[in-house]
C-alpha cells in the first residue's frame, strides 16, 4: 500500500522572473492553437454495463497504446507497479460504473489496471504533469522531481514529489506559500451567465496540457435511455466520468479543480471507494442519470460525499439558476449563487447576473502569478444590461489568459435548448486526423 508521504509535494520552482500571463510567447502559443470538433457517439444505458462502451472501445483499440504509453510516462516514478498491483482490488469499489470500466478494458484491449488509472486521472493529479509535459508556462514554473522512495531506483531520494506554485518576492509570500500548498491545481475556468431576458449560458475552459496525440480521445457522448436522449457530455475514451454535460431544459454542469483535488493517498482512496463514495466526475454522471431538476441536482452535488475536493459549477433554465459549489470530501464549504453580488479580496466583484470560478475560493484573491479571475470578472461584468448570445460567451472564453497555451477544451452550453458546442484545441495545425495516426 502506498503511504500518504508518497503524495506529499516537493518541486523546485523559480521565484521572480516574468509571470506566465505577461509572457508574449505564451500568448502566441495560445493564438496558434487549432480547433477541432470532438467525435460524437451514443451510449445506450439500457445495455448491460459491460457492453455500453464496447463499440467505442473497439473503434479506438488500435490506438489505445497511446493511452497506455501516456500512463507509463506520466505516472510518478515508482507508482506504476503499485497502481497495477492494487488496480484489480480497486475496480469492484466503483459500485455504479465498475462494470463499464471492465467492459471498456476488454474493448480497448488494455488491462483493467490501466482503465482504473485512466479513471483516477484527477485523483492522481500528476498525470500530464511529469517533467516531460510540465506546465511550465502556467502557474508552475520549472520542474525538478526527485524519485519516490517506493521506486526501485530511488536510492537516496527524499521520497516526495509534486507541483508547487511560484512564490513572488513580495509582501504576499506567506499567503503565496499557503496557496501553493493548498490551492494549486491546474488551471480551469467555468461560469454561468444570464442575459437581460434571463436566458442562461454556461461556459468553460478545461486546461490540462494534454499532448495532441491524446486529444484524439476526447469525445462527446449522447447518453440514451428508453430509446431517447437523456443528456450529453464530454468525456475521454476509457473514462466513464464526465467533464461537463447538459440535460436539455433541466441543468448543465462543469467541474474545476479545487485544493489540489488529486492529492489523495491511495490507501485513503481505497477506503473511500470501499465505502461506496464516488469520484467527483462519476458522481456528476450519477446526478445526470438520477435527478431531473436544477434544485435536486444542486442538492446532490452539494451534499453527497465524494472522494476529493472539487468545484461543481451548475446552471439551470430559470431566472438566477446558477451556482458554484466549493466542495470538500464531506460536503459543501462555500456556495456562490448567481443572484448575489460577490466581492473578492483584491477588488473583483462578480455582478448579480453571473457566477464563476477559476481554481481559488472567492474569499481569497488569486495568486498574482495565476490571475485568470480578474479578466474573467472584467469581461463578464461588461455584459451587464446588454443583449448577448453564444458569440459573446465564446469571445470571453477565447480571451487571454482565460484561454491560454494549456487550454485543451472549450464548451459553450445553451441550457434550455441543450445546444452543446464543444471544441478541442490542438497545438499543431497539421496534426494527423484520427485515421492517419496509425501511420505515425
Amino acid at each position: 500500500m502506498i503511504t500518504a508521504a508518497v503524495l506529499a509535494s516537493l518541486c523546485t520552482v523559480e521565484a521572480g522572473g516574468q509571470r506566465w500571463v505577461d509572457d508574449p510567447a505564451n500568448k502566441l502559443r495560445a493564438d496558434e492553437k487549432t480547433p477541432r470538433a470532438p467525435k460524437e457517439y451514443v451510449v445506450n444505458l439500457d445495455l448491460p454495463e459491460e457492453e455500453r462502451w464496447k463499440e467505442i472501445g473497439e473503434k479506438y483499440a488500435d490506438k489505445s497504446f497511446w493511452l497506455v504509453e501516456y500512463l507509463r510516462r506520466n505516472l510518478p516514478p515508482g507508482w506504476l507497479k503499485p497502481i497495477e498491483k492494487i488496480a484489480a482490488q480497486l475496480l469492484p469499489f466503483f459500485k455504479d460504473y465498475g462494470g463499464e470500466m471492465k467492459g471498456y478494458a476488454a474493448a480497448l484491449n488494455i488491462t483493467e489496471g490501466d482503465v482504473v488509472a485512466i479513471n483516477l486521472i484527477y485523483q492522481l493529479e500528476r498525470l500530464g504533469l511529469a517533467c516531460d509535459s510540465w506546465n511550465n508556462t502556467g502557474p508552475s514554473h520549472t520542474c525538478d522531481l526527485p524519485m519516490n522512495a517506493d521506486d526501485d531506483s530511488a536510492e537516496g531520494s527524499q521520497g516526495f514529489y509534486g507541483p508547487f506554485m511560484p512564490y513572488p518576492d513580495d509582501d504576499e509570500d506567506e499567503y503565496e506559500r499557503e496557496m501553493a500548498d493548498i490551492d494549486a491545481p491546474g488551471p480551469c475556468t467555468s461560469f454561468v451567465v444570464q442575459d437581460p431576458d434571463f436566458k442562461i449560458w454556461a461556459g468553460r475552459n478545461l486546461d490540462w496540457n494534454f499532448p495532441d496525440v491524446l486529444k484524439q480521445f476526447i469525445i462527446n457522448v449522447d447518453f440514451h435511455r428508453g430509446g431517447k436522449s437523456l443528456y450529453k457530455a464530454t468525456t475521454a475514451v476509457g473514462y466513464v466520468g464526465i467533464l461537463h454535460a447538459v440535460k436539455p431544459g433541466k441543468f448543465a454542469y462543469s467541474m474545476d479543480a479545487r485544493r489540489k483535488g488529486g492529492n489523495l493517498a491511495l490507501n485513503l482512496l481505497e477506503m473511500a471507494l470501499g465505502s461506496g463514495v464516488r469520484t467527483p466526475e462519476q458522481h456528476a454522471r450519477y446526478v445526470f442519470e438520477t435527478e431531473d431538476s436544477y434544485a435536486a441536482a444542486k442538492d446532490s452535488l452539494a451534499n453527497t460525499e465524494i472522494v476529493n475536493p472539487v468545484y461543481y459549477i451548475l446552471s439551470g433554465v430559470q431566472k438566477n439558476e446558477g451556482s458554484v459549489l466549493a466542495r470538500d470530501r464531506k460536503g459543501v464549504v462555500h456556495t456562490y449563487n448567481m443572484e448575489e453580488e460577490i466581492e473578492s479580496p483584491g477588488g473583483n466583484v462578480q455582478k448579480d447576473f453571473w457566477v464563476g470560478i477559476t481554481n481559488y475560493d472567492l474569499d481569497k484573491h488569486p495568486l498574482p502569478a495565476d490571475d485568470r479571475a480578474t479578466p474573467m470578472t472584467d469581461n463578464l461584468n461588461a455584459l451587464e444590461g446588454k443583449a448577448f448570445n453564444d458569440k459573446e460567451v465564446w469571445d470571453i472564453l477565447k480571451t487571454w489568459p482565460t484561454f491560454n497555451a494549456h487550454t485543451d477544451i472549450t464548451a459553450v452550453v445553451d441550457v434550455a435548448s441543450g445546444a452543446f458546442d464543444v471544441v478541442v484545441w490542438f497545438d499543431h495545425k497539421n496534426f494527423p486526423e484520427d485515421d492517419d495516426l496509425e501511420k505515425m
Side-chain angles (χ1 to χ4, degrees), residues 42-57 91-108 112 115 119 223-225 238-240 278 282 285-286 289-290:
V42 172
V43 167
N44 183 0
L45 296 174
D46 295 324
L47 290 175
E49 287 187 13
E50 294 187 16
E51 297 179 18
R52 293 175 184 172
W53 299 92
K54 184 173 185 291
E55 180 181 351
I56 298 173
L91 185 58
F93 293 162
F94 292 88
K95 64 173 186 176
D96 299 295
Y97 303 111
E100 291 187 5
M101 293 163 63
K102 185 175 182 180
Y104 231 149
L108 286 167
E112 293 177 3
V115 168
N119 281 273
F223 291 87
H224 282 211
R225 180 181 286 162
Y239 187 75
V240 301
R278 303 180 190 94
Q282 291 188 13
R285 181 179 160 191
Y286 180 81
E289 293 173 4
T290 58

Side-chain angles (χ1 to χ4, degrees), residues 67-348:
L67 294 171
V68 177
E69 179 64 16
Y70 182 71
L71 293 173
R72 298 293 189 266
R73 289 188 178 187
N74 290 281
L75 279 172
W79 275 45
L80 181 57
K81 291 180 182 178
I83 285 287
E84 290 180 336
K85 183 177 181 180
I86 68 170
Q89 302 169 33
L90 284 178
L91 185 58
F93 293 162
F94 292 88
K95 64 173 186 176
D96 299 295
Y97 303 111
E100 291 187 5
M101 293 163 63
K102 185 175 182 180
Y104 231 149
L108 286 167
N109 195 28
I110 60 178
T111 70
E112 293 177 3
D114 288 328
V115 168
V116 168
I118 291 168
N119 281 273
L120 293 178
I121 190 169
Y122 180 75
Q123 288 68 38
L124 297 176
E125 183 181 355
R126 286 295 302 184
L127 290 172
L129 290 181
C131 284
D132 59 353
S133 59
W134 185 257
N135 187 343
N136 58 10
T137 59
S140 300
H141 287 190
T142 58
C143 176
D144 183 14
L145 301 180
M147 301 291 279
N148 286 331
D150 65 326
D151 193 288
D152 293 339
S153 61
E155 294 182 9
S157 77
Q158 301 179 53
F160 298 92
Y161 128 105
F164 265 43
M165 307 285 274
Y167 308 138
D169 292 325
D170 56 27
D171 294 337
E172 298 293 321
D173 267 4
E174 183 175 354
Y175 167 68
E176 302 284 346
R177 291 177 182 273
E178 176 187 355
M179 293 293 279
D181 287 339
I182 298 175
D183 283 318
C188 288
T189 297
S190 292
F191 59 78
V192 184
V193 58
Q194 65 183 4
D195 69 13
D197 295 324
F198 310 117
K199 180 180 178 64
I200 294 178
W201 300 88
R204 76 101 92 250
N205 278 347
L206 186 149
D207 307 343
W208 192 273
N209 198 32
F210 278 133
D212 280 355
V213 73
L214 286 189
K215 293 172 187 172
Q216 65 175 313
F217 294 98
I218 297 170
I219 58 175
N220 282 347
V221 174
D222 193 346
F223 291 87
H224 282 211
R225 180 181 286 162
K228 297 180 180 180
S229 175
L230 183 64
Y231 66 99
K232 302 173 185 178
T234 300
T235 184
V237 175
Y239 187 75
V240 301
I242 55 176
L243 304 173
H244 42 264
V246 62
K247 198 167 194 176
K250 305 293 184 179
F251 56 89
Y253 124 100
S254 62
M255 183 187 81
D256 287 6
R258 178 176 185 265
R259 294 191 181 278
K260 285 187 180 178
N263 264 352
L264 190 66
L266 289 186
N267 54 358
L268 178 60
L269 178 64
E270 183 176 4
M271 290 172 57
L273 291 170
S275 63
V277 179
R278 303 180 190 94
T279 65
E281 316 89 284
Q282 291 188 13
H283 179 60
R285 181 179 160 191
Y286 180 81
V287 168
F288 274 82
E289 293 173 4
T290 58
E291 306 297 351
D292 206 41
S293 70
Y294 171 84
K298 183 176 181 180
D299 179 70
S300 184
L301 290 174
N303 298 313
T304 304
E305 186 175 352
I306 53 179
V307 167
N308 54 270
V310 72
Y311 293 109
Y312 284 132
I313 300 88
L314 186 67
S315 50
V317 295
Q318 302 297 323
K319 178 182 177 181
N320 293 332
E321 284 191 340
S323 55
V324 173
L325 308 173
R327 284 293 315 267
D328 63 13
R329 292 195 304 112
K330 297 295 185 180
V332 70
V333 178
H334 302 289
T335 300
Y336 307 110
N337 294 309
M338 178 186 288
E339 68 268 22
E340 302 166 347
E341 189 168 277
I342 305 169
E343 185 172 355
S344 297
N348 284 339

